Amino acid sequence: MRIEGIRWSYRVSEKIERKHRVSRSEVDELFDGNIGHLRKTSSGYAAYGRTEAGRYLAVFFRMTTDRWAKILTARDMERREVRLYRKATGK
């Protein structure tokens, strides 16, 4: 899947920083080539990846018609997601 870029709303950006302690730069890092696994969800897509600092993140987004990812939320992966991510990527 080709993604042209990321679209943020101020509200979502503030929420994930406050509630999940995930920075915009960490999400940007994932979309700059660190997505290890991508899956379709009922509300869009889930991207799973690991930051250069070693943090396992799950980022949920919708694709716009012009191929931009509109971020819905981001958080640390749950244990089972880390296991599935490692199995899927071999990392």
Side-chain angles (χ1 to χ4, degrees):
M1 168 186 301
R2 194 178 87 212
I3 299 171
E4 295 296 328
I6 300 173
R7 289 207 174 121
W8 288 93
S9 77
Y10 175 78
R11 194 178 93 225
V12 169
S13 178
E14 290 295 309
K15 181 193 115 188
I16 66 171
E17 179 75 40
R18 183 185 71 254
K19 185 175 178 182
H20 302 293
R21 305 243 189 270
V22 176
S23 69
R24 284 178 71 153
S25 62
E26 288 176 305
V27 173
D28 290 340
E29 186 181 323
L30 246 59
F31 279 86
D32 283 340
N34 289 331
I35 295 176
H37 184 67
L38 188 67
R39 72 175 176 88
K40 181 91 169 94
T41 68
S42 59
S43 61
Y45 294 90
Y48 299 93
R50 191 172 180 192
T51 66
E52 290 179 16
R55 189 172 183 186
Y56 290 94
L57 294 179
V59 180
F60 300 87
F61 65 98
R62 286 194 182 128
M63 285 296 288
T64 64
T65 55
D66 55 351
R67 297 188 180 270
W68 283 72
K70 182 178 181 185
I71 305 300
L72 302 174
T73 193
R75 59 169 172 73
D76 288 303
M77 283 188 217
E78 297 170 356
R79 281 188 196 131
R80 77 176 167 78
E81 291 170 324
V82 172
R83 280 195 313 271
L84 292 171
Y85 172 81
R86 287 179 175 163
K87 185 176 181 180
T89 62
K91 297 179 183 178

